[in-house]
Amino acid sequence: AMSELGKYPEVHAVLYTKEQAGREVRQTFYGVYRILYEIQSTCVYVLTIRHGARRPIGPKEISGIE
């Protein structure tokens, strides 16, 4: 799943727009885990990996992740 993320990062849904979170955040799932990431030029940056049972992370919390 992670190798596919590097090859085809645009294929996954946008969770938060730049206006909502200060950057475009996309999401994908791996088993019970939600992976939130952003694309910058030719690089993919994983912002967080969270168990699906946890409370969803909001756009204000995303803007605080570097």
Side-chain angles (χ1 to χ4, degrees):
M2 293 304 280
S3 63
E4 290 178 12
L5 184 61
K7 290 180 186 175
Y8 309 106
E10 292 91 2
V11 75
H12 301 289
V14 173
L15 178 63
Y16 297 119
T17 64
K18 190 171 185 174
E19 291 76 25
Q20 293 172 308
R23 59 180 130 189
E24 185 178 85
V25 178
R26 293 177 177 264
Q27 72 175 346
T28 188
F29 295 91
Y30 182 73
V32 297
Y33 295 95
R34 176 182 293 198
I35 302 166
L36 304 183
Y37 66 96
E38 68 175 321
I39 304 167
Q40 291 184 10
S41 185
T42 60
C43 295
V44 175
Y45 294 95
V46 174
L47 302 172
T48 186
I49 301 173
R50 295 172 64 95
H51 193 278
R54 290 185 65 189
R55 174 186 60 80
I57 191 166
K60 289 183 181 179
E61 294 170 286
I62 289 288
S63 64
I65 297 175
E66 293 186 28

